[in-house]
Amino acid sequence: MSTKPIRVGVVGFGYWGPNLVRNLDKLGDAELVAACDLSDGNLAKLKGLYPYVETTNDLASLLADFDLDAVVVATSAPSHFAIAKQVIEAGKHCYIEKPMTLKSSESETLVRMADEAGVHLMVGHLMEYHTAINWIRDYIASGELGDVLYLYMQRLNLGKVRAEENAFWSLAPHDVSIALYVLGEAPDFVSARGEDYLRDGVHDVVFANLHFPSGKMANIHVSWLDPHKTRKLTIVGTKKMLVFDDMQATEKIWIYDKGVEPKEAMAYGEDLTLRFGDITVPHIKMQEPLALEVQHFLDCCESGDVPRSDGRDGLRVVRVLEAVDESMEAGGAPVSTTVGV
Ligand SMILES: NC(=O)c1ccc[n+]([C@@H]2O[C@H](COP(=O)([O-])OP(=O)(O)OC[C@H]3O[C@@H](n4cnc5c(N)ncnc54)[C@H](O)[C@@H]3O)[C@@H](O)[C@H]2O)c1
């Protein structure tokens, strides 16, 4: 490994940008060189915390004047495509916050451009770096859960009602990326129903069903109109069942040794046999997912390895988000999620 730190620039220092900057600043492999934001107030805040970082309102200047290796984009989603395009055209590795873009055609363009330019494109699918989610992925791979049959996720709360994007685009990029990551495959179609109870034309409650080529199913329920703050994932396997509750400070994962005996094991005339075994709560040492994610980006810039949540992963998630909108418009009809690259 070279000892030369990766020279990083940041675009966007609003709500989430400061968390990325905090991590970039403390990781030795990065040198946080310059930041760009349209807001002078936000740049002044950054300068107050990190006086040695250069600031500008002009993206072209950020890309031309500071000899950067990589750029981290944490602006609001509608600006992602145009900014990432400029970053890749300038030959810099590019990290974009989720959702990668607002259209899958734009994500496809970015994937192709990054391939041609030979730069990394990584998307901020934070949950793919969450210690508990990786523990679950390994647990599934170990076979302990048996074959995964289906999973469902709930991301619910009362409030933070947005006008510019619906609840699925706002909340579900994390859940979609978790489903694809833990199941290790991309869905072939989705069907979804939603309603706009609070603001005309903006779905605030959505139930989306993802179908996978292997026959597995994932259901995602998101809502801004619910009595409980919930962030839960339940996975049902042929041997065991698992619940991940991200609202718990500790004891986030519960494994239930429960199931139904397989049909082949039943004698003629017997009913299905239910099994109720132990419940176990594994101890998992948590680390900040964002620190792991930022470190992974830097490691890939350094090593040339393809990032876990690369542009293709970002594209697959955007295509699911887009297809959910299309399905809701078509009254819940199944919509293909196939992508072009
Ligand atoms: N991974 C997570 O858990 C997580 C959490 C929150 C937000 N996010 C993502 O982070 C991104 C930013 O969200 P936010 O809540 O911080 O938004 P925000 O609106 O609070 O901040 C965006 C910042 O970008 C600046 N900006 C906008 N357009 C710009 C442009 N063209 N050039 C330069 N600066 C520009 C704005 O002035 C603002 O300072 C979004 O993609 C969001 O989905 C991710």
Side-chain angles (χ1 to χ4, degrees):
M1 292 268 270
S2 120
T3 50
K4 199 168 151 266
I6 293 152
R7 292 174 66 80
V8 183
V10 171
V11 190
F13 194 77
Y15 161 70
W16 192 246
N19 293 321
L20 286 155
V21 167
R22 170 174 54 78
N23 278 292
L24 284 164
D25 185 61
K26 74 178 181 204
L27 294 173
D29 321 32
E31 183 182 350
L32 184 58
V33 179
C36 169
D37 200 297
L38 297 179
S39 154
D40 288 332
N42 287 348
L43 287 180
K45 279 186 206 155
L46 183 141
K47 203 78 183 159
L49 292 163
Y50 312 95
Y52 40 86
V53 176
E54 300 289 341
T55 57
T56 175
N57 299 123
D58 180 17
L59 179 61
S61 157
L62 180 91
L63 296 172
D65 298 341
F66 299 100
D67 192 24
L68 301 176
D69 300 307
V71 174
V72 167
V73 182
T75 58
S76 40
S79 62
H80 287 181
F81 177 57
I83 295 174
K85 210 162 161 267
Q86 259 184 277
V87 171
I88 296 167
E89 276 164 357
K92 318 285 181 199
H93 300 302
C94 182
Y95 168 104
I96 323 176
E97 258 311 325
K98 58 82 199 164
M100 181 173 170
T101 58
L102 295 185
K103 290 183 187 156
S104 61
S105 55
E106 295 171 343
S107 291
E108 277 187 26
T109 301
L110 294 181
V111 168
R112 288 205 173 93
M113 286 178 65
D115 282 354
E116 278 163 25
V119 296
H120 283 313
L121 180 58
M122 172 163 155
V123 182
H125 290 163
L126 185 67
M127 297 304 284
E128 294 183 30
Y129 302 89
H130 195 297
T131 320
I133 293 296
N134 279 289
W135 191 94
I136 291 169
R137 196 169 186 267
D138 292 345
Y139 191 75
I140 291 172
S142 77
E144 285 283 324
L145 213 57
D147 293 330
V148 173
L149 299 174
Y150 75 96
L151 61 84
Y152 63 93
M153 288 179 263
Q154 298 148 305
R155 197 171 291 267
L156 319 170
N157 201 2
L158 187 64
K160 191 95 178 158
V161 179
R162 292 174 187 264
E164 62 284 354
E165 57 188 359
N166 68 28
F168 205 76
W169 278 85
S170 171
L171 301 174
H174 287 311
D175 301 302
V176 175
S177 78
I178 291 172
L180 275 56
Y181 184 56
V182 300
L183 295 180
E185 65 178 319
D188 47 5
F189 61 86
V190 302
S191 67
R193 298 298 297 249
E195 292 295 340
D196 52 347
Y197 295 115
L198 303 173
R199 205 188 286 265
D200 268 357
V202 182
H203 291 101
D204 31 63
V205 180
V206 178
F207 292 85
N209 194 276
L210 282 58
H211 177 272
F212 292 81
S214 62
K216 295 182 178 68
M217 179 169 70
N219 199 278
I220 301 175
H221 171 201
V222 296
S223 175
W224 289 320
L225 191 58
D226 198 277
H228 300 116
K229 181 161 176 151
T230 307
R231 288 179 182 182
K232 226 180 220 183
L233 158 67
T234 302
I235 307 179
V236 174
T238 49
K239 289 191 197 159
K240 291 181 185 169
M241 303 178 186
L242 180 155
V243 175
F244 166 57
D245 185 350
D246 209 10
M247 293 310 296
Q248 301 299 325
T250 57
E251 303 185 354
K252 284 177 183 280
I253 295 177
W254 292 56
I255 295 163
Y256 297 82
D257 185 10
K258 287 186 178 184
V260 180
E261 291 307 324
K263 289 183 189 131
E264 307 80 81
M266 284 164 53
Y268 177 77
E270 264 183 4
D271 219 341
L272 288 171
T273 312
L274 304 182
R275 195 181 68 259
F276 296 91
D278 291 340
I279 299 169
T280 46
V281 182
H283 175 71
I284 297 168
K285 191 168 173 289
M286 291 295 166
Q287 284 175 277
E288 186 186 356
L290 192 59
L292 296 171
E293 183 181 57
V294 170
Q295 184 65 60
H296 181 72
F297 178 58
L298 298 173
D299 289 347
C300 290
C301 291
E302 179 76 46
S303 66
D305 291 347
V306 176
R308 181 181 305 166
S309 51
D310 67 349
R312 286 178 168 76
D313 187 30
L315 163 64
R316 285 191 288 269
V317 170
V318 169
R319 180 58 203 141
V320 171
L321 302 174
E322 197 177 54
V324 163
D325 280 351
E326 291 166 13
S327 177
M328 288 195 295
E329 273 161 34
V335 172
S336 164
T337 49
T338 309
V339 292
V341 284

